Amino acid sequence: MSTESTARDLFASMTGHEPDGVWSAPGRVNLIGEHTDYNEGFVLPFAIPHRTVAAVGVRGDDRGRVRVASTFAAEPVEVALGELGDLFPTPTGAAPAVPEWAAYPLGVAWAMQDAGITGAGVDIAIASDVPVGAGLSSSAAIEGAAASALNDLWSAGLDKTALARIGRRAENEAVGAPTGIMDQMATMIGGVDTAIFLDCRSLEAQQVPLAVAEAGLAILVIDTRVKHAHSTGGYRERREACERGAQIMGVPSLRDVSVDDLPRAAELMDDVTFRRVRHIVTENQRVLDTVAALRAEGPRAIGDLLVASHASMRDDFEISVPELDTAVESALAAGAIGARMTGGGFGGAAIALIDADATDAVSSAVNAAFTAAGFAEPALFTVTPSAGAHRDA
Ligand code: GLA
């Protein structure tokens, strides 16, 4: 059954009638530019075919209540729109006042209201085929689908960037994950055959054709199935280290530090902070170099940049895990042109840029390496850049 049918069925079983519409938003893969977004730097993600679908209807009984159901949970969660402001923002470090899955769509409704936009009570039924906890932005996909639906049903008229900001507020302040805006922008503005070159300071976005298939290549996702969460632990610590580094350098964010500044940075800060800073500064440069290489020569030219990015995340930013390193190393050993972990790290997925006709061979090699290392079997699938959030019906 399609994800849309699942969402429609869930809606019908909750309400006894058909939804007013169906909206969906994709997960994403980040080609390069990791942890640069909250440092006001550069990223290059693309939307993937996996999507979250929201079947949504205005409530006939309109008592100003929002009810959300998801295939992730047995029971719907229902809240008065007027009470969302009592639930959110979630205090830093605390768990949301509602089950976490419900904090995404309810957080979107709250952020909309906080921006002065509201409307009738709604029922929202959510289904998704974006793997959860895999670093493929299943959460931004929920936010993007919910924000798109409410934007239409509440006649808000917000553009995609504004909806991405709404999604990010839900993530940061309702769910409590201190993330940047990359995932929400990717899910809103992703497009077929294109990566999104995003300046996270201005939010100016350019489409960069990937032309992977034309070059005889494919992008293989290697989901290690090691689950991660960004509301706790390492992600927040990395963010704090970056803020510390920027403060020591006397700049508003690490976007303002260049590769030429690194020798001075090394003198001013402790080794760990310096290595965190060096990752961000060099990663920003790698994004720029990747965009230039794609434009000048096409995707075969970006392999070394992907590999250098992974090494920087493993050694300087220290957000890789053995499963991700094994994924990258085994893919490269089997002939991948480039490979790196993607997303926030501490688990999740790696990507490998491979010859399309080597998909089976690389997949087998990765599987064999995981078995030899005693790791759980990874999930392997290829992705192509796909459409961003939209109304489906
Ligand atoms: C997660 C966050 C993003 C970004 C990446 C790392 O996906 O949601 O904002 O920081 O990690 O690049």
Side-chain angles (χ1 to χ4, degrees):
M1 187 154 67
S2 72
T3 313
E4 179 175 337
S5 309
T6 307
R8 283 179 175 279
D9 285 2
L10 184 64
F11 185 93
S13 65
M14 171 166 71
T15 66
H17 59 87
E18 292 288 305
D20 292 331
V22 175
W23 290 258
S24 68
R28 65 99 190 90
V29 148
N30 189 18
L31 195 59
I32 195 161
E34 226 63 83
H35 287 256
T36 44
D37 61 350
Y38 57 77
N39 290 294
E40 301 195 344
F42 304 109
V43 295
L44 191 62
F46 64 85
I48 59 175
H50 304 70
R51 299 181 80 84
T52 294
V53 179
V56 188
V58 169
R59 298 183 70 162
D61 63 345
D62 189 18
R63 295 193 308 262
R65 297 178 73 78
V66 53
R67 180 166 52 166
V68 290
S70 158
T71 52
F72 298 121
E75 294 294 329
V77 173
E78 186 172 337
V79 179
L81 284 168
E83 284 168 15
L84 288 169
D86 301 334
L87 298 180
F88 306 124
T90 299
T92 304
V98 293
E100 189 177 291
W101 68 267
Y104 294 99
L106 293 177
V108 165
W110 163 75
M112 285 246 180
Q113 287 200 324
D114 210 52
I117 296 155
T118 194
V122 286
D123 288 312
I124 304 175
I126 293 167
S128 181
D129 68 357
V130 184
V132 173
L136 301 174
S137 291
S138 56
S139 55
I142 302 176
E143 292 151 6
S148 301
L150 293 181
N151 191 42
D152 287 353
L153 291 176
W154 289 353
S155 305
L158 297 179
D159 65 20
K160 287 178 185 276
T161 301
L163 294 176
R165 289 186 200 273
I166 294 278
R168 184 194 180 180
R169 278 204 78 193
E171 182 91 38
N172 291 172
E173 297 177 53
V175 181
T179 61
I181 200 161
M182 168 172 71
D183 304 344
Q184 289 76 20
M185 284 296 282
T187 198
M188 288 310 308
I189 67 174
V192 175
D193 288 335
T194 179
I196 305 299
F197 172 36
L198 180 68
D199 178 336
C200 297
R201 174 167 272 173
S202 66
L203 294 192
E204 190 195 325
Q206 294 175 38
Q207 301 204 335
V208 179
L210 273 185
V212 163
E214 291 86 329
L217 300 177
I219 294 172
L220 180 69
V221 173
I222 305 161
D223 174 7
T224 65
R225 300 187 198 260
V226 178
K227 301 286 181 216
H228 72 286
H230 293 324
S231 44
T232 51
Y235 188 97
R236 192 181 292 279
E237 281 168 28
R238 294 305 180 281
R239 195 174 168 142
E240 286 163 2
C242 292
E243 283 161 9
R244 198 163 59 240
Q247 202 181 18
I248 294 171
M249 294 301 284
V251 291
S253 77
L254 292 180
R255 160 68 174 272
D256 301 302
V257 179
S258 75
V259 174
D260 291 343
D261 296 325
L262 286 175
R264 187 165 70 90
E267 282 172 17
L268 292 176
M269 51 191 82
D270 64 275
D271 175 61
V272 170
T273 310
F274 172 65
R275 286 187 291 114
R276 305 299 187 249
V277 168
R278 183 166 60 187
H279 165 71
I280 300 300
V281 171
T282 57
E283 185 80 347
N284 272 328
Q285 188 58 49
R286 281 187 290 270
V287 176
L288 299 176
D289 293 347
T290 301
V291 171
L294 282 170
R295 286 182 170 150
E297 298 170 68
R300 279 192 188 271
I302 68 169
D304 291 349
L305 289 160
L306 302 183
V307 174
S309 172
H310 186 77
S312 179
M313 291 189 282
R314 183 191 60 211
D315 302 335
D316 274 356
F317 219 57
E318 297 182 279
I319 55 171
S320 190
V321 295
E323 287 84 349
L324 287 167
D325 293 339
T326 296
V328 166
E329 284 155 22
S330 58
L332 290 173
I337 289 158
R340 61 187 285 282
M341 53 150 279
T342 187
F346 306 103
I351 52 169
L353 182 64
I354 59 175
D355 280 302
D357 57 14
T359 306
D360 288 346
V362 175
S363 301
S364 304
V366 171
N367 269 320
F370 271 62
T371 305
F375 298 150
E377 193 183 338
L380 297 160
F381 50 92
T382 57
V383 288
T384 49
S386 303
H390 55 63
R391 185 172 188 158
D392 298 75

